[in-house]
């Protein structure tokens, strides 16, 4: 008897997680392993980012958050910071039109006040141009630190209490969450870190309370669709319980 064809619609358990966040790490080591300057690793990292944004859209991920520059990365040598800022400028100038054409919405989280005025303007332009798009949402964590973000949210609550608009006893986790940069967004289902390091480095500490963490041994410039799919497969093998007893299949 001929075999029945496989169903063309994938079962819900293998659907993509709604929100995937990535700590794009290992650009420098990728370059050093090849005798190249670290800046070359960052340039190849931008190519990996392009591939990953494309793959995320194709795989049906709704939100992709990427850690591109931490609040602590300012402690790197000036030349490297210049390289990284240059790449961000280039990325927005070269890729924004493509992202917009592909219906991608771009949002940026992190502290904006101390960014160079031209970078701030580019960030605002990217958000403004794409704000009506309904496809993949890409959240760029830039000059981002989770502790700083939580402190800012706490300060916002304190200002409201001081002004008499909020009772201290009305402060809840939801109230604080609503004052984070990610206020309107669901928490990440999956956080991926490349390069083999197994830490969060001040990324989405609040939002990642129940995220599944997947650590990938490859350096960021080598990341591609297959690596993303493998991390999502690993995510589907996890059992999410959120403190309860009933497993939730991630979707
Ligand atoms: C990630 O790669 C990019 C940024 C942190 C900006 P790294 O620059 O951290 O590369 P490694 O970890 O030194 O290899
Ligand atoms: C985290 O990577 C920040 C980004 C990927 C942008 P780092 O390379 O800065 O983290 P540590 O210093 O190894 O913890
Ligand atoms: Mg690193």
């Amino acid at each position: 008897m001929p075999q029945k064809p496989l169903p063309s619609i994938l079962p819900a358990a293998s659907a993509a997680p709604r929100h995937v966040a990535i700590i794009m790490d290992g650009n420098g080591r990728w370059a050093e392993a090849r005798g190249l300057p670290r800046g070359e690793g960052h340039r190849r990292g931008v190519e990996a980012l392009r591939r990953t944004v494309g793959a995320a859209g194709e795989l049906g991920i709704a939100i992709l958050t990427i850690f591109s520059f931490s609040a602590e990365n300012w402690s790197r040598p000036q030349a490297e910071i210049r390289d990284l800022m240059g790449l961000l400028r280039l990325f927005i100038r070269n890729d924004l039109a493509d992202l917009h054409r592909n219906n991608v919405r771009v949002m940026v989280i992190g502290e904006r006040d101390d960014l160079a005025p031209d970078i701030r303007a580019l960030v605002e332009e990217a958000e403004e141009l794409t704000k009506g798009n309904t496809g993949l949402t890409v959240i760029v964590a830039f000059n981002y630190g989770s502790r700083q973000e939580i402190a800012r949210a706490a300060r916002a609550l304190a200002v409201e209490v001081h002004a008499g608009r909020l009772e201290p006893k009305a402060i809840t986790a939801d109230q604080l969450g609503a004052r984070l940069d990610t206020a309107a967004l669901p928490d990440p289902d999956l956080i991926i870190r490349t390069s083999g390091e197994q830490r969060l480095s001040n990324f989405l500490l609040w939002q990642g309370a129940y995220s599944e963490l997947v650590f990938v041994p490859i350096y960021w410039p080598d990341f591609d669709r297959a690596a993303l799919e493998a991390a999502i497969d690993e995510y589907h093998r996890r059992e999410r319980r959120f403190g309860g007893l009933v497993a939730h299949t991630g979707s």
Side-chain angles (χ1 to χ4, degrees):
M1 256 196 28
Q3 266 198 318
K4 271 194 1 195
L6 290 168
S8 59
I9 296 170
L10 294 169
S14 52
R18 179 153 69 139
H19 182 175
V20 175
I22 307 184
I23 303 172
M24 309 185 291
D25 195 21
N27 293 349
R29 279 165 286 166
W30 182 94
E32 281 154 19
R34 288 161 179 75
L36 298 168
R38 289 177 60 86
E40 189 52 30
H42 294 313
R43 269 179 284 286
R44 295 292 288 263
V46 174
E47 288 171 26
L49 174 59
R50 279 192 197 107
R51 284 199 294 276
T52 306
V53 169
E58 287 163 16
L59 293 171
I61 291 165
I63 303 168
L64 176 72
T65 298
I66 47 155
F67 200 7
S68 60
F69 192 85
S70 79
E72 290 76 31
N73 286 148
W74 295 109
S75 65
R76 294 193 179 191
Q78 276 305 314
E80 177 154 351
I81 291 173
R82 257 200 313 278
D83 256 6
L84 288 165
M85 296 297 148
L87 279 175
L88 179 77
R89 287 186 182 93
L90 266 181
F91 181 71
I92 297 185
R93 286 200 193 110
N94 294 343
D95 291 61
L96 184 59
D98 269 351
L99 292 169
H100 185 45
R101 206 172 313 118
N102 289 321
N103 199 21
V104 172
R105 180 173 186 193
V106 179
M107 291 167 68
V108 179
I109 58 172
E111 180 57 75
R112 283 192 201 188
D113 288 352
D114 27 89
L115 294 181
D118 73 308
I119 290 194
R120 229 182 122 149
L122 282 172
V123 160
E124 281 160 11
E125 181 194 334
E127 288 186 326
E128 186 58 30
L129 179 71
T130 63
K131 70 177 180 204
N133 290 347
T134 53
L136 173 71
T137 296
V138 174
I139 317 275
V140 183
F142 191 81
N143 191 21
Y144 176 85
S146 199
R147 287 180 167 179
Q148 293 85 336
E149 178 194 30
I150 293 167
R152 261 189 277 123
R155 204 180 309 135
L157 287 170
V159 166
E160 289 172 56
V161 169
H162 189 68
R165 293 194 301 269
L166 186 68
E167 285 289 323
K169 63 177 180 298
I171 294 174
T172 59
D174 282 349
Q175 289 272 351
L176 194 141
R179 285 154 184 87
L180 296 172
D181 297 355
T182 52
L185 302 163
D187 289 339
D189 300 295
L190 166 64
I191 297 178
I192 300 169
R193 182 171 188 149
T194 58
S195 90
E197 304 298 354
Q198 302 192 0
R199 55 178 170 265
L200 289 172
S201 302
N202 204 11
F203 184 54
L204 301 179
L205 302 181
W206 177 281
Q207 300 86 338
Y210 275 103
S211 302
E212 295 299 326
L213 309 182
V214 171
F215 299 104
V216 178
I218 63 175
Y219 295 139
W220 175 249
D222 290 328
F223 198 80
D224 57 9
R225 180 181 171 134
L228 179 60
E229 283 181 301
I232 292 173
D233 286 347
E234 168 66 28
Y235 167 80
H236 284 305
R237 287 192 288 273
R238 304 281 178 85
E239 192 176 73
R240 303 186 78 188
R241 290 190 290 274
F242 298 96
L245 297 177
V246 183
H248 294 254
T249 51
S251 64

